[in-house]
Amino acid sequence: MSLMLKLYLFLALTAVGLSQPGGYVAGQNAIGSGMENCVELVRNRLYMYWTLESDQSGNQIADIVLEGRLPDGATENYYLSYGYAKEGARGSEMTGGTAILGGLVNGECFGYDYYLQTILECDYSLGFGACPTYVSNGKNDGTTMVEMVACEKKGNVLAVRMRKPLGVDIDGLPGTAWPADDSRYAMYAMGRVGAGSSIAQPDALLHTVETPQRPGLKLALDQPQTECLASSPLGLVVTDAAAAAASPPPAADVVATPDAIVPPSPVSAVEASPSVLPVDAFDGEAERDDDDDDDDDDDRSEAEGEADHDDDDHDHDDDDDDDDDGEASAVVQQAAADAAKVSMIPLKCVMTINGEQMNFQTCTDVTTVGSNFNIAWNLTMDPNDPGVTIMTMGMNASINNQYVSVGFPSKKNSMVDAAAMILSSTSTIGTSLKQYYMTGYDESDVDISSEGANVLDIVPPFGPENDGMVSGLFTVSLPYSFSSVQSAMQGQRRRRLFQSSASPLSAYNLIFAAGDVRSDGSLKEHYDDGAGDVNLAIALVSDGFSISNDITVVQNEGAKVAHQVLSAIGWGILVPLGVIGARAKNQLQAPKWYNAHRYIMAFGYLLGLVGFGLGFAINKSWDTLYTVHRDLGVTITVLATVQVLALLWKPKPGTTLRKIWGPYHMWVGRCTTLLALANIYYGMFGMGEENVDTWAWAVYSACLALIVILGLVSEYREFLLRKEQALATQSKTMEEGQFKTAPPLDGIKDEKDPGSSGSSMDGVSSP
């Protein structure tokens, strides 16, 4: 009996594994009990389980378990989070959203509601940033709406269980209620917690995994999600369904009760993409894991032997029958849990290169380009040149008579004057990986060349494999000091969340493309393209895990140039000239001024309309980073269209409507023209990297200056002509007035006439 109790106490203490604040203690498997839904948020990395309940007031409560894989088993400062973007967000945007965030601080558990006021980590002294809600609402009482139920850590897997009310705003923070449906975009993240923080004030640092903002995640909590409910993907959270599926028939001397949760059988590896496989990057770690498994086997053998010994004692001790049955049941359950425990090898980035698997520090999916396109890379120091960083990058994709490319642009997001590594595969020639240089957009502008990037080595590509995947590897020297990159990334953890790093490799611009290959191996124009700033430097701290990226569809450069030219000519030159034509009524005889105004305006409107349409062709989407420019363009186009339609429905002269229509048409036209000019300059100066070159805005400004001068001269001439007309009209009116008041001719007599009478001063006889 004493051996049984000792073994039970030892296993129970081992199962707890860590201390938790607030009296929360997670028993074996209790953390997954009662869960009715499960989704895989990040492949083989982050899972969420939940069930919906109601409290005594009838409010819906979400009982949520977040289960995530840590960088390693020694990690004691980490967090998992799930939440919702603010109402009206166009994707899984962090700023303005709310989230539940739970994890470990120096091995102790915490869990709070967070209000994501900004993308900066929480400054508790100022109450600003991504903070617990008791900081954001100013109460500072250490309490939030989230109830921390339990947390548990086993090996390199962490699970946190929290309860969150739905449909209720956080006190003092209106608009923060979580929906039960998918009316808002959902978001998730996981990352490290500052070791210097505390349970009361956890310091959530830069998350290494997050939801891509576009297109965003939609997840309805009130809809059944059972894709991983009956399994235990990471081996820690065991739901009732998974326990039932894995429960063996009860042994003769063990009574299975409804409350007993039996752990599953060992979990098989989840199938991963070719770029991310569940393998260990270091043989030493694998050997240690194997040794741990052997020790576990020994422990299980000893436990089984001791259980048998105690069972024999139990057969001879009828008085302790009930106690022994209970203890035996607990030992069997714990032994089954130990048998089910698998060595949680961290998920590493690995590719098959030249027939052999190669591990990388980090990797990412290029989801917007090609099919199953992935890149992975390592950063190392060049012992011969401390001023550079050596990057070894692997790339693979499903390609059949196709190619994918990674480019190094000289100008952000542009393929002009950019180097590219192009991986191709054809059924006639085979696979190849070569360096190209691009001087333009046409096929003839893409040539094999060593220009544009210092590529040190290229490994012949491997494949295609059974799934059509082809892999290649190249090494390139980047002109940035490895020591500065390394120190910048190490310091990143001590800086504010998302605060820009001193290293340019933290936001290194890359371009991507995919296209078809002809039978002779020549490349066709790409059908997919993308570009974005990739955090290459995070490879030094990412522990071999896959990261997210902001690679988006690259802009259509041809459409962009046409949009700029046509909009500038249509809205910015012809429309102002049309306004001048409408003001030149005295300089151009009717209907010349009217025709000049009408034809110039119509041509300008048509060019502007085409330019407006091309603006959406740049990104091939309504969505854009430059919403002000887009919305002004929509407003200008609508007003101009109304002006055109107003000409078709012009009231007749002399009517009351015509008296209203005239000023309306004149002032709407003036406002539209001024808005168009303002938007043109906004497009040239207010769009960051998309600003036009100096010569372009200088040429347009010169043309506009000439138009303004022409308008001023025309207005001055109009002023003079109107003045002359006014004087002529006045003179004519005076003459007509004198004619009407003059006496008849027979009333005028010669002053020398002796028969005359009256004054000789005015020569007019008296009436």
Side-chain angles (χ1 to χ4, degrees):
M1 181 65 67
S2 59
L3 289 174
M4 175 73 82
L5 291 175
K6 289 180 180 178
L7 178 61
Y8 176 79
L9 290 174
F10 171 77
L11 293 175
L13 290 173
T14 303
V16 173
L18 50 98
S19 61
Q20 302 172 29
Y24 297 118
V25 178
Q28 179 67 27
N29 298 326
I31 200 164
S33 176
M35 295 294 107
E36 299 175 352
N37 302 276
C38 175
V39 293
E40 182 184 52
L41 297 176
V42 180
R43 185 178 59 245
N44 208 21
R45 183 79 189 275
L46 180 62
Y47 294 82
M48 185 174 78
Y49 308 79
W50 77 93
T51 186
L52 297 184
E53 304 171 350
S54 297
D55 61 13
Q56 296 179 351
S57 302
N59 297 322
Q60 244 181 345
I61 304 293
D63 192 355
I64 296 175
V65 176
L66 295 173
E67 181 187 32
R69 192 190 297 275
L70 306 179
D72 53 62
T75 300
E76 293 190 339
N77 295 281
Y78 212 77
Y79 68 86
L80 312 173
S81 72
Y82 175 82
Y84 287 90
K86 65 181 179 181
E87 187 174 359
R90 296 189 178 94
S92 299
E93 301 170 358
M94 176 180 173
T95 303
T98 58
I100 57 173
L101 190 147
L104 302 175
V105 176
N106 299 319
E108 293 187 285
C109 295
F110 73 93
Y112 295 111
D113 242 344
Y114 269 67
Y115 177 62
L116 312 177
Q117 187 177 5
T118 70
I119 60 176
L120 302 177
E121 75 176 60
C122 183
D123 188 324
Y124 286 91
S125 62
L126 299 177
F128 184 77
C131 298
T133 54
Y134 69 80
V135 176
S136 302
N137 61 17
K139 294 192 173 182
N140 293 313
D141 56 3
T143 62
T144 68
M145 293 177 65
V146 166
E147 176 191 356
M148 176 71 172
V149 178
C151 77
E152 186 173 346
K153 175 177 176 288
K154 181 187 291 184
N156 66 334
V157 179
L158 171 67
V160 184
R161 185 167 184 170
M162 295 172 280
R163 290 165 57 85
K164 162 78 175 180
L166 302 181
V168 180
D169 284 338
I170 298 170
D171 190 17
L173 298 171
T176 54
W178 276 22
D181 55 18
D182 62 354
S183 57
R184 292 192 185 185
Y185 283 97
M187 54 186 176
Y188 56 80
M190 51 195 304
R192 296 183 180 273
V193 176
S197 55
S198 64
I199 294 296
Q201 295 184 347
D203 193 11
L205 303 179
L206 169 67
H207 45 258
T208 56
V209 176
E210 65 173 337
T211 322
Q213 289 190 14
R214 301 288 188 276
L217 173 66
K218 287 282 190 174
L219 178 59
L221 297 179
D222 59 358
Q223 297 298 318
Q225 302 282 346
T226 59
E227 61 183 75
C228 51
L229 191 64
S231 63
S232 183
L234 299 185
L236 177 55
V237 175
V238 182
T239 63
D240 296 343
S247 296
D253 60 341
V254 177
V255 178
T257 65
D259 295 331
I261 303 173
V262 182
S265 57
V267 182
S268 60
V270 178
E271 182 179 356
S273 74
S275 67
V276 184
L277 299 176
V279 299
D280 201 310
F282 305 100
D283 294 336
E285 292 181 10
E287 292 173 2
R288 288 194 295 274
D289 290 333
D290 292 338
D291 293 338
D292 293 339
D293 291 340
D294 293 338
D295 294 338
D296 292 337
D297 292 338
D298 294 338
D299 292 340
R300 288 192 294 271
S301 299
E302 294 176 7
E304 290 170 1
E306 292 172 358
D308 291 339
H309 173 74
D310 285 322
D311 285 342
D312 293 338
D313 291 342
H314 159 69
D315 292 337
H316 297 288
D317 190 356
D318 294 334
D319 295 338
D320 295 334
D321 181 71
D322 294 337
D323 294 338
D324 285 347
D325 279 345
E327 293 174 354
S329 176
V331 171
V332 170
Q333 291 184 41
Q334 187 61 52
D338 289 338
K341 185 174 68 176
V342 294
S343 178
M344 292 301 170
I345 303 172
L347 194 66
K348 299 295 181 179
C349 297
V350 61
M351 286 185 185
T352 302
I353 304 295
N354 202 18
E356 298 181 359
Q357 286 189 341
M358 179 174 179
N359 297 286
F360 293 88
Q361 294 166 339
T362 193
C363 53
T364 191
D365 299 332
V366 188
T367 56
T368 59
V369 178
S371 176
N372 297 322
F373 187 12
N374 310 278
I375 58 172
W377 63 96
N378 294 328
L379 297 182
T380 56
M381 178 178 62
D382 186 348
N384 300 318
D385 187 355
V388 302
T389 296
I390 302 299
M391 181 177 71
T392 300
M393 177 173 282
M395 51 190 296
N396 67 0
S398 296
I399 50 177
N400 182 19
N401 295 318
Q402 297 166 316
Y403 69 86
V404 292
S405 70
V406 178
F408 301 86
S410 59
K411 183 179 179 181
K412 187 178 179 70
N413 294 349
S414 176
M415 66 178 287
V416 178
D417 296 328
M421 298 302 300
I422 300 182
L423 177 67
S424 64
S425 175
T426 62
S427 56
T428 55
I429 298 179
T431 59
S432 71
L433 177 60
K434 299 178 181 179
Q435 182 181 357
Y436 287 75
Y437 186 72
M438 301 168 290
T439 58
Y441 303 106
D442 297 331
E443 294 180 14
S444 58
D445 297 328
V446 181
D447 299 304
I448 297 176
S449 172
S450 60
E451 189 177 354
N454 186 14
V455 176
L456 305 177
D457 183 47
I458 299 176
V459 176
F462 175 79
E465 302 179 70
N466 294 333
D467 56 1
M469 296 295 292
V470 177
S471 304
L473 182 79
F474 63 92
T475 303
V476 61
S477 176
L478 303 175
Y480 305 104
S481 168
F482 179 81
S483 60
S484 64
V485 174
Q486 190 175 39
S487 61
M489 287 311 297
Q490 290 173 348
Q492 182 76 27
R493 294 176 176 176
R494 297 188 293 270
R495 287 192 292 270
R496 290 289 181 258
L497 189 64
F498 280 117
Q499 185 174 341
S500 61
S501 169
S503 170
L505 295 187
S506 297
Y508 194 83
N509 190 240
L510 294 175
I511 58 177
F512 305 88
D516 293 323
V517 182
R518 299 183 179 89
S519 58
D520 61 356
S522 59
L523 309 177
K524 295 184 179 180
E525 184 176 351
H526 56 262
Y527 54 74
D528 273 347
D529 54 22
D533 294 336
V534 179
N535 191 346
L536 299 179
I538 204 172
L540 299 178
V541 295
S542 67
D543 302 308
F545 288 115
S546 176
I547 64 169
S548 60
N549 59 65
D550 64 349
I551 298 170
T552 56
V553 176
V554 76
Q555 293 182 346
N556 186 326
E557 289 293 328
K560 177 182 173 182
V561 173
H563 164 75
Q564 293 170 337
V565 172
L566 293 180
S567 297
I569 294 176
W571 299 123
I573 293 179
L574 293 179
V575 168
L577 286 175
V579 172
I580 294 175
R583 300 281 299 172
K585 295 179 180 180
N586 293 312
Q587 301 173 65
L588 300 174
Q589 294 291 330
K592 291 182 180 180
W593 71 266
Y594 176 72
N595 290 334
H597 170 68
R598 180 174 59 177
Y599 293 137
I600 293 175
M601 280 293 192
F603 192 38
Y605 170 74
L606 291 176
L607 290 183
L609 195 62
V610 175
F612 172 75
L614 289 171
F616 292 100
I618 296 174
N619 289 324
K620 306 172 186 176
S621 171
W622 168 266
D623 293 329
T624 177
L625 296 175
Y626 312 107
T627 55
V628 173
H629 186 63
R630 178 200 63 194
D631 295 344
L632 280 175
V634 172
T635 303
I636 292 161
T637 304
V638 170
L639 290 175
T641 302
V642 170
Q643 286 289 84
V644 172
L645 296 177
L647 292 176
L648 301 178
W649 295 319
K650 182 168 58 175
K652 293 181 180 181
T655 63
T656 303
L657 288 178
R658 184 60 175 262
K659 294 179 181 179
I660 299 173
W661 180 90
Y664 146 80
H665 183 70
M666 178 178 64
W667 283 105
V668 170
R670 291 173 178 176
C671 293
T672 303
T673 303
L674 291 176
L675 280 177
L677 294 177
N679 203 29
I680 288 172
Y681 275 100
Y682 180 85
M684 290 192 292
F685 295 109
M687 303 179 69
E689 295 290 341
E690 304 303 325
N691 291 345
V692 300
D693 293 331
T694 302
W695 68 267
W697 67 259
V699 169
Y700 173 74
S701 297
C703 293
L704 184 61
L706 292 176
I707 293 173
V708 171
I709 293 173
L710 176 62
L712 293 175
V713 172
S714 177
E715 283 296 312
Y716 180 69
R717 293 188 62 189
E718 282 292 307
F719 170 75
L720 294 179
L721 290 174
R722 283 196 297 269
K723 186 176 180 180
E724 291 178 3
Q725 289 180 356
L727 292 174
T729 301
Q730 183 180 6
S731 176
K732 184 177 180 180
T733 302
M734 292 178 62
E735 290 178 358
E736 290 177 352
Q738 289 177 356
F739 178 78
K740 290 179 180 179
T741 57
L745 294 177
D746 57 3
I748 301 177
K749 297 182 179 180
D750 189 346
E751 61 181 38
K752 293 182 181 181
D753 187 347
S756 65
S757 62
S759 173
S760 61
M761 294 181 64
D762 56 10
V764 180
S765 61
S766 302

